[in-house]
Amino acid sequence: MKILVDCAGARIGGAKRLLNEFDLYLRERDLPEMRLIGRDRVLTGLWLLRRERTGERFDRSLALNNVAFVAAGRERRVLIHGPQHFLRTDELRSLGLRISPAVHAQAPVVWATMRRADRIVVPSTSMAERVMRIAPSVRNRLVVAFNPVTPPDAALLRALADERRERDTAGGPVDFLCPIIITPHKLMTRRLRAGLAALDILAGPPHHVEATITVTGRAALIEDPEVARHPRLRLVGEHPAATVIDMMVRCDAIFFPAELESFGYPMAEGRMMGVPVIALDTAHNREIAGPALVGYERETAEEIAAAMHAALDADLKPDQDNPFDRGPYFDLLLGEGAAG
């Protein structure tokens, strides 16, 4: 079976992590009839036209980037993981100009090509609900499958967990890692302000915990200079996925305050590494973070501080069930007959 796969647009964030997992999968499989295109390319209108003109006939096509093929492939599959293309009315109203005109222009294209797809895969129940609200007719073609996550070596995880416990017992400095790409629609300035206020609470009685929030972002992306200069904030800039994963394994807990997510790789990675995840207590976050979630109901300094303190006391082990196994995931995406 000849399969065409487009990965254009997978250069940063979750899309890049997914592509990294796909590369690992391909090393384990013999797929001589599969052709992967779009690596390191930006997903543009021109690319969407060019990818249809391959000069070859394919039995199946798979788009990993929200926009299904129109002509290429007798059977067409698509991975939908862009919640910004499926916003509710209240989200549109609250986010306003934080959603770029380009996203608004892309949404009808995503919807139209999705409706023509034979199989639509989404990474969470909440994303499935967004899709069905826009296109209820695709229900029977829609599949929920968690994005793949491959955790570090189990021996390394055990050693680092022991190291964290020793550090906490000795009263060493605490690091909450916020591994997130800062974009306007994530409202990170407001969320970091609340998180930093929570650290100020932890520093006082009765806890006396000195902690920082380490963010994989730059000061220029934070809208309030006072937040960017906060003494408990450590900005380290963007890093490759492998570096971020190493930082997650070594931190005391992951702080993931984002809301508009189709999946949320740091939550799944915390679950697989045995690292607590501090995030809003929502159905979506419970589904992805599972037992690693240390939730707070409201985005207030007091509730976030309570969750942070609880995370430091959590006795968490890596999830042994591995609901994010890359093998079954990509087998599902590529479909029967992919291996010949």
Side-chain angles (χ1 to χ4, degrees), residues 267-311:
M267 295 194 292
E269 286 160 336
R271 178 175 180 173
M272 295 306 299
M273 296 174 188
V275 178
V277 176
I278 302 158
L280 280 163
D281 188 7
T282 64
H284 173 84
N285 291 351
R286 288 192 294 272
E287 180 177 50
I288 305 304
L293 179 66
V294 184
Y296 52 90
E297 294 288 338
R298 295 173 300 165
E299 194 178 69
T300 65
E302 294 76 14
E303 293 204 14
I304 295 172
M308 286 177 165
H309 191 262

Side-chain angles (χ1 to χ4, degrees), residues 25 43 71 74 84 91 139 144 147 152 189 202 211 214 238 242 250-251 255 271:
Y25 170 86
L43 188 65
R74 288 191 295 108
Q84 67 272 24
E91 291 170 329
R139 177 183 296 271
V144 175
N147 284 355
T189 300
L202 287 182
T214 298
E238 295 87 356
R250 297 172 188 279
C251 73
F255 178 46
R271 178 175 180 173

Side-chain angles (χ1 to χ4, degrees), residues 164 167-168 172-178 210-215 234 247 250-254 312:
R164 280 197 302 272
R167 186 172 65 234
D168 293 344
V174 170
D175 179 37
F176 296 110
L177 177 67
C178 184
E210 286 297 330
T212 57
I213 295 176
T214 298
V215 181
R234 180 169 168 255
M247 294 167 68
R250 297 172 188 279
C251 73
D252 291 281
I254 294 166
L312 295 178

Side-chain angles (χ1 to χ4, degrees), residues 111-294:
W111 301 345
T113 57
M114 177 188 71
R115 288 187 172 99
R116 294 170 57 94
D118 299 289
R119 178 68 62 88
I120 303 159
V121 180
V122 293
S124 63
T125 300
S126 67
M127 195 65 216
E129 291 167 351
R130 289 182 181 277
V131 168
M132 287 189 291
R133 185 180 57 82
I134 294 295
S137 63
V138 306
R139 177 183 296 271
N140 293 335
R141 291 175 276 151
L142 187 63
V143 177
V144 175
F146 293 156
N147 284 355
V149 174
T150 302
D153 178 73
L156 174 63
L157 292 178
R158 286 193 296 271
L160 291 172
D162 291 340
E163 180 184 302
R164 280 197 302 272
R165 280 191 290 271
E166 291 177 8
R167 186 172 65 234
D168 293 344
T169 302
V174 170
D175 179 37
F176 296 110
L177 177 67
C178 184
I180 199 164
I181 295 174
I182 300 176
T183 56
H185 74 265
K186 293 185 179 180
L187 304 173
M188 284 305 298
T189 300
R190 187 190 83 190
R191 303 189 194 288
L192 287 174
R193 186 184 293 115
L196 292 166
L199 294 192
D200 291 337
I201 292 173
L202 287 182
H207 306 302
H208 302 289
V209 173
E210 286 297 330
T212 57
I213 295 176
T214 298
V215 181
T216 54
R218 293 172 284 113
L221 299 174
I222 297 177
E223 297 161 3
D224 184 346
E226 289 190 10
V227 173
R229 292 194 299 264
H230 196 288
R232 301 187 194 280
L233 181 65
R234 180 169 168 255
L235 297 164
V236 297
E238 295 87 356
H239 288 278
T243 303
V244 175
I245 289 170
D246 185 67
M247 294 167 68
M248 281 192 278
V249 173
R250 297 172 188 279
C251 73
D252 291 281
I254 294 166
F255 178 46
F256 195 73
E259 287 189 65
L260 189 59
E261 297 285 330
S262 67
F263 184 64
Y265 256 101
M267 295 194 292
E269 286 160 336
R271 178 175 180 173
M272 295 306 299
M273 296 174 188
V275 178
V277 176
I278 302 158
L280 280 163
D281 188 7
T282 64
H284 173 84
N285 291 351
R286 288 192 294 272
E287 180 177 50
I288 305 304
L293 179 66
V294 184

Side-chain angles (χ1 to χ4, degrees), residues 19-81:
L19 182 57
N20 291 345
E21 293 283 347
F22 193 33
D23 287 337
L24 291 174
Y25 170 86
L26 292 178
R27 292 175 197 166
E28 302 166 346
R29 297 291 197 276
D30 180 22
L31 300 173
E33 294 295 295
M34 194 207 77
R35 180 178 170 192
L36 181 65
I37 61 173
R39 189 182 294 273
D40 297 324
R41 286 187 174 275
V42 178
L43 188 65
T44 63
L46 179 60
W47 171 252
L48 293 177
L49 292 174
R50 285 183 58 191
R51 72 178 189 177
E52 302 282 351
R53 302 168 183 168
T54 62
E56 299 178 59
R57 292 184 179 274
F58 291 90
D59 300 293
R60 182 175 296 147
S61 62
L62 168 64
L64 298 176
N65 45 29
N66 300 301
V67 186
F69 283 89
V70 175
R74 288 191 295 108
E75 180 195 356
R76 295 180 293 275
R77 299 183 173 205
V78 62
L79 173 60
I80 298 287
H81 51 95

